[in-house]
Amino acid sequence: MDPATYLPLAASGLLWLFGARMGRWLPPATAVWLLSLAALVTALATGFVLSIAGFDVLVQVPGVAAFGHWSPQELRMSGTVPVAAGVLAGVTVLVLLASSLHRVAHAVRDLATATILCQRLGPSAGRLVVVDAPRADAFALPGFSGKVVVTRAMMKALTADERRVLLAHEMAHLRHRHHFYIEIAELAASANPFLRPLAPAVRTAAERAADEMAAAEVADRPLAARALARAGLARAATRSATCSAMPAAALAAVEASVADRARALLAPPPRSRPALVAAVAVMMLLTTASTAWTAHTTEHRFEQAHTLTATEQ
């Protein structure tokens, strides 16, 4: 097997080992798009390489070779994948394809649910909707006309300045389409199990990015940390209150890692990491190039096998 073929697998291993750490090392806004893009490129490249390996063995079957007018002898002689490895790769691709389709179905369902809920909430000023509910809660709903939903209980639990922080956080999710990047990471993880650490890393980075944007908007990092902490306490205090379940596609400011995120806001703003960004970009470029090379060499093999068949006839 051509060494270039192994690059997507190597990239998968590196992201499995260091993906979650890169989510903490990179500036949050950068981590959101860079890690989701790296996950997508790696998942597509890995799926392609595994498909080629499985197909390489499948076409050595005389009936399949005859269907494509390829010389089975030439394909066997130039084959680069052991039969057992090719069969395993083919089965793996089918399983991961089914997993990916299942994830796509869930994503479409969640987006449709969020869109319908946005429509039911009706028109709103500045995409903000305040609802009567005993539970203190706030979340951003994606969709064609995304909205920020806040309960009156949450509004009462915070001061005016803290409400500004909370609303700026949720608006940042909609403005920067964090839902889109999170879904990309989730889909990539379903297509490649080695990429599963990246999905929670991207989700956490999206929350941290929205925290940083809210802090920048109010120009007060301690205020942003205090608002996040008080919103988390208010939500925890009213957790048992009866309220409709938050849609699966929603992003809530106080859903997870509130204490860690508040501590991060009390620290200086995150530094840029150009070397790390460049390293990830180079890895994606090499992965893409190796996939293109694999496609080129595979096409050349099949062209030779087809030429030999035509000559024999």
Side-chain angles (χ1 to χ4, degrees), residues 72-100:
Q73 293 81 10
E74 174 63 21
L75 290 173
R76 277 193 292 271
M77 290 177 61
S78 62
T80 58
V81 180
V83 174
V87 171
L88 179 61
V91 172
T92 301
V93 164
L94 292 177
V95 172
L96 294 180
L97 178 60
S99 175
S100 301

Side-chain angles (χ1 to χ4, degrees), residues 46 50 53 72 104 130 132 135 154 180 193 195 214 219 231 243 250 256-257 271 285 287:
T46 305
L50 291 176
V104 168
V130 180
D132 285 312
R135 179 186 297 175
M154 178 64 83
F180 173 72
L195 301 177
C243 187
S257 307
R271 296 184 294 112
L285 287 173
T287 300

Side-chain angles (χ1 to χ4, degrees), residues 1 3 20 42 59-60 69 92 99 135 143 156 266 268 299 312:
M1 204 167 180
T42 305
V59 295
Q60 295 180 30
H69 304 290
T92 301
S99 175
R135 179 186 297 175
K156 291 178 181 178
L266 293 175
E299 182 182 13
E312 292 170 0

Side-chain angles (χ1 to χ4, degrees), residues 9-10 45-46 73 75 101 126 133 137-138 165 185 194 256 286:
L9 303 178
T46 305
Q73 293 81 10
L75 290 173
L101 292 175
D137 216 342
V165 173
F194 284 102
L286 290 175

